[in-house]
Amino acid sequence: MKKIGSFFKLVRWPNLLVTALMMCLVFHCIMMMQSTVSFTLLVISMVFIVAGGYVINDIFDMETDAINKPKKLIVGKVFSEKQCGVFYWTLTIIGLCCGLASTIMALGPKFYMIFACLLLLTGILYSYSKTYKKKLLIGNVIVSLSVAFAVFLPWLFVMLYMSANPLLLRANEDLMTTSLRIVLFYSAFAFLTTLIREIVKDMEDVDGDGRTHCRTIPVVLGLKKTSIIVIVLLLLMSGTIFSFENFFENISDIRTPIILIEVMKYMFIGYMTAFMTTVMQKPAKPEKTYHIVSILLKITMLIGVLTMIFINL
């Protein structure tokens, strides 16, 4: 039982659930599509590929994690590096097979358009873990783009499916145009929220990253300058949240509860306050603040994603 629990921790099961939830909400609530076997396989494909990405990330991060979170270490402690390698290849191959089956079923000869994206994502996640995670900023951007891609993929899937039937595409032209604007908004929201969270996580792990020669933003610029960057990004994100209602009111009949918008507004204001406090007062253990903000950012993203439920095109 302990190993089963450790395996689910290794693949970050809450993050996988959020990935599946984002895709399903876009497909059902924004695209107004009914469940299909092909889309279900696409969701499974994304979940397994992302799970494999988490495993390979922990394999390459063994040395850093031994410093940053020795009590939570899984690779090399609960499972051997070889066992985790088997997990990675199994998850990745299953994910790609499901993606291939999904795209062939739904798109026929055009299956390669989506399948190529899944192959590219697999390669990017591997390259990120091996190389780009240690590079300045590019690693953070790759992770953020991967999350945004999970939001955008269902729209692309439906678009390519409809493009095979010109009459069907023409009949749903207004829906596709409006839904694209909404999906792009949520993709931007997911990208910015994830980017901020990734930088905050790097601030939390600055000691271990520094010792293993990772060139993250906090290692290169220091915590104070990184905090200022985070505050600027939080201001940008707050502006996005404040325009949330106006954005939807201009394009469709949305019944998003005001309370959800207000919660996100005040949460981002709280994050800015926390970081401004760490910059000015320099607390003895700022990593505790970073850890709390990192968790709250994940909750904020979940709240934002759940607002899709109330979209009524």
Side-chain angles (χ1 to χ4, degrees):
M1 288 299 293
K2 181 182 178 181
K3 287 198 171 185
I4 294 175
S6 295
F7 175 79
F8 279 101
K9 288 180 181 178
L10 180 67
V11 298
R12 321 287 204 279
W13 67 268
N15 293 359
L16 299 181
L17 285 179
V18 172
T19 298
L21 178 64
M22 288 191 301
M23 294 182 69
C24 290
L25 288 177
V26 171
F27 190 75
H28 296 299
C29 299
I30 297 179
M31 306 306 300
M32 310 298 288
M33 301 292 290
Q34 300 297 317
S35 295
T36 62
V37 174
S38 58
F39 180 72
T40 301
L41 285 172
L42 183 67
V43 174
I44 293 172
S45 173
M46 274 294 291
V47 167
F48 273 73
I49 289 172
V50 172
Y54 285 128
V55 174
I56 197 66
N57 178 70
D58 279 10
I59 291 174
F60 284 118
D61 254 10
M62 284 178 61
E63 185 181 353
T64 305
D65 288 344
I67 298 171
N68 289 329
K69 44 186 178 183
K71 294 181 180 179
K72 297 181 180 179
L73 199 63
I74 296 176
V75 181
K77 188 175 182 180
V78 180
F79 300 111
S80 68
E81 185 177 348
K82 185 177 180 180
Q83 286 177 313
C84 290
V86 172
F87 294 155
Y88 167 70
W89 285 110
T90 302
L91 290 166
T92 301
I93 290 171
I94 291 174
L96 289 174
C97 287
C98 288
L100 182 61
S102 166
T103 52
I104 290 175
M105 289 173 63
L107 308 178
K110 293 184 177 180
F111 79 93
Y112 64 90
M113 294 184 178
I114 295 290
F115 188 65
C117 292
L118 296 176
L119 280 174
L120 181 62
L121 176 64
T122 302
I124 287 174
L125 290 177
Y126 182 90
S127 299
Y128 160 78
S129 300
K130 185 178 181 180
T131 305
Y132 294 120
K133 185 174 183 179
K134 297 182 179 181
K135 303 287 186 180
L136 183 66
L137 187 62
I138 188 171
N140 304 122
V141 172
I142 286 174
V143 173
S144 304
L145 285 174
S146 299
V147 176
F149 175 69
V151 178
F152 183 74
L153 182 59
W155 184 91
L156 181 62
F157 184 76
V158 174
M159 179 66 181
L160 291 173
Y161 171 75
M162 288 188 175
S163 66
N165 188 333
L167 291 177
L168 181 63
L169 183 61
R170 194 174 299 116
N172 291 277
E173 187 175 354
D174 290 340
L175 171 65
M176 296 306 296
T177 302
T178 303
S179 62
L180 175 60
R181 296 178 65 186
I182 297 175
V183 167
L184 288 176
F185 178 87
Y186 277 107
S187 298
F189 172 80
F191 174 83
L192 278 172
T193 308
T194 305
L195 179 61
I196 296 169
R197 184 167 180 267
E198 286 298 308
I199 294 175
V200 172
K201 285 167 61 181
D202 285 344
M203 296 175 76
E204 185 183 354
D205 295 339
V206 66
D207 289 339
D209 290 341
R211 294 183 195 179
T212 53
H213 309 292
C214 294
R215 288 181 56 80
T216 61
I217 296 176
V219 171
V220 175
L221 300 181
L223 290 176
K224 185 174 181 179
K225 290 182 179 179
T226 306
S227 293
I228 294 172
I229 291 173
V230 171
I231 291 170
V232 172
L233 288 173
L234 286 169
L235 282 169
L236 179 61
M237 194 67 239
S238 298
T240 304
I241 298 301
F242 275 99
S243 65
F244 201 78
E245 287 177 284
N246 291 334
F247 176 86
F248 286 125
E249 286 174 358
N250 292 331
I251 60 173
S252 59
D253 178 23
I254 306 295
R255 304 188 309 275
T256 304
I258 298 298
I259 189 170
L260 291 180
I261 307 296
E262 293 300 319
V263 166
M264 286 193 290
K265 287 178 184 177
Y266 287 113
M267 287 184 85
F268 276 101
I269 291 172
Y271 304 151
M272 283 188 287
T273 303
F275 272 92
M276 289 175 73
T277 301
T278 59
V279 170
M280 292 184 293
Q281 296 184 358
K282 297 180 181 179
K285 294 185 178 181
E287 62 273 9
K288 289 186 178 179
T289 300
Y290 305 145
H291 182 67
I292 293 171
V293 171
S294 175
I295 294 173
L296 291 176
L297 279 166
K298 187 183 291 188
I299 294 172
T300 306
M301 183 172 174
L302 179 60
I303 293 172
V305 166
L306 290 175
T307 59
M308 293 186 203
I309 295 172
F310 304 96
I311 293 176
N312 180 29
L313 295 179

